[in-house]
Amino acid sequence: MKLQVRSPKHDREVIEIPVKAAELSSLFNGTIASPKGDEYPIKNNIIDLLPEEKSYSMAQSTNHWKLTASVYEDLWRKRSLSLLTGEEFPIEKEQELLADWINPQPDKWYLDVGCSTALYARTLKKSEPKSHHVAVDFSKVMLEEARIKAEAEQLDLFLIRADGRNLPFFAGTFDGLSMGGTLNELTDELKVLYECRRVLKSDGVFFMMHLVKAASWYWRLFQDSAEWGGLQFWSVEESNELFRRAGFKVEDQFTKGIVCFSKLRPS
């Protein structure tokens, strides 16, 4: 099924992305354009809708490093929740929760926002192979790593380079959204959440994992230093207020250590 996106330069103009771009077993290169003539490249299946570089925080900038992309999932992501929750929390447990809360359905569309290596999109595609998935990130190297992992797992995904502050999709495009850890890195978190609400259907679901303010002094020392690098932390109450302001309500939620999982619905 073709994916329709909106032009980054002309909000009302439709750009069609060919299905072959999502077929990661075969390299696909080309150019797409809106009726207004603005063009965007596809290189190795990655659709670049962010031709101009944006300003990023120090924390966000590290995601542009090839080393970060290569070790992110296998060395950090698979162990991070056990470290951050203070108990055994394998990545498979997070994936089970994601699949349970999103509950992907055949022929429906799902978006992984700030996808990094597209762990969430890949997990949901495995859960329901007939569902359609789009993974968005601003980092080329992260998307390149996502492509490698999805190809190895024989999964088809649309991989798009874009800015979460201006998602290149029309209102109500997606049946479900997911975001894993990205919220803490954002410099304009409310704007990104507004965009997420805009592209989610009125009966859609949003899976959110982020870090909250620590209660223990040693984790607070870590968070205080991390804030200098551009990371942000909120209490659960403050996080929920952010969600409310962006047009979401919390349907389910729990915390482990400084990790918070939220199941959000449009309010």
Side-chain angles (χ1 to χ4, degrees):
M1 186 180 296
K2 291 182 180 179
L3 172 65
Q4 290 189 335
V5 301
R6 69 176 191 175
S7 163
K9 293 185 178 180
H10 307 284
D11 287 353
R12 297 184 179 180
E13 299 296 333
V14 176
I15 300 176
E16 286 198 350
I17 299 178
V19 175
K20 287 186 176 294
E23 297 172 354
L24 303 183
S25 59
S26 301
L27 288 180
F28 182 81
N29 298 289
T31 302
I32 52 176
S34 81
K36 294 287 188 180
D38 48 316
E39 298 184 344
Y40 306 92
I42 303 177
K43 184 177 180 181
N44 296 341
N45 304 78
I46 298 172
I47 303 105
D48 195 344
L49 298 180
L50 190 62
E52 298 177 0
E53 293 295 335
K54 304 291 184 179
S55 59
Y56 302 108
S57 69
M58 185 183 300
Q60 291 174 316
S61 296
T62 61
N63 291 316
H64 292 286
W65 301 349
K66 193 171 184 63
L67 177 62
T68 302
S70 63
V71 304
Y72 169 77
E73 186 172 322
D74 296 328
L75 292 184
W76 164 248
R77 197 64 176 79
K78 289 185 177 180
R79 299 167 177 80
S80 61
L81 291 187
S82 294
L83 173 65
L84 297 170
T85 60
E87 61 183 69
E88 184 65 20
F89 202 114
I91 196 169
E92 291 80 10
K93 187 175 179 180
E94 177 186 12
Q95 291 172 302
E96 289 174 5
L97 180 65
L98 169 68
D100 179 52
W101 279 3
I102 293 290
N103 189 25
Q105 299 296 306
D107 298 322
K108 293 195 173 183
W109 286 87
Y110 301 89
L111 176 65
D112 186 354
V113 184
C115 67
S116 297
T117 57
L119 173 65
Y120 282 0
R122 288 160 37 221
T123 297
L124 294 173
K125 183 67 174 179
K126 292 176 191 175
S127 177
E128 176 45 74
K130 293 183 180 180
S131 56
H132 307 292
H133 295 269
V134 183
V136 169
D137 204 282
F138 65 88
S139 168
K140 289 181 181 178
V141 296
M142 283 292 188
L143 291 169
E144 289 167 358
E145 190 69 20
R147 187 197 185 284
I148 292 170
K149 290 185 179 299
E151 181 186 5
E153 296 168 344
Q154 299 182 334
L155 301 172
D156 291 344
L157 309 171
F158 287 98
L159 299 172
I160 298 180
R161 183 169 180 256
D163 192 320
R165 293 170 290 190
N166 185 27
L167 290 171
F169 309 106
F170 293 98
T173 295
F174 296 99
D175 299 278
L177 305 181
S178 58
M179 182 185 292
T182 299
L183 186 68
N184 300 96
E185 298 181 0
L186 299 176
T187 55
D188 197 349
E189 65 282 351
L190 195 54
K191 171 61 175 171
V192 175
L193 290 173
Y194 278 136
E195 281 290 277
C196 289
R197 174 63 189 89
R198 182 181 64 80
V199 303
L200 183 63
K201 292 181 179 179
S202 60
D203 60 349
V205 60
F206 188 4
F207 178 96
M208 170 72 70
M209 186 278 281
H210 73 292
L211 306 182
V212 294
K213 286 181 180 178
S216 60
W217 65 268
Y218 49 89
W219 272 118
R220 276 305 306 160
L221 286 176
F222 164 77
Q223 290 184 338
D224 288 344
S225 61
E227 287 173 349
W228 284 93
L231 293 178
Q232 298 187 78
F233 304 93
W234 305 270
S235 67
V236 173
E237 293 75 20
E238 290 168 339
S239 302
N240 290 346
E241 177 61 16
L242 274 178
F243 302 150
R244 186 197 65 77
R245 290 176 62 192
F248 293 103
K249 60 184 178 183
V250 178
E251 183 172 284
D252 202 349
Q253 187 175 63
F254 73 93
T255 58
K256 292 281 188 180
I258 61 172
V259 180
C260 180
F261 296 95
S262 302
K263 181 180 182 181
L264 307 176
R265 295 279 189 182
S267 56

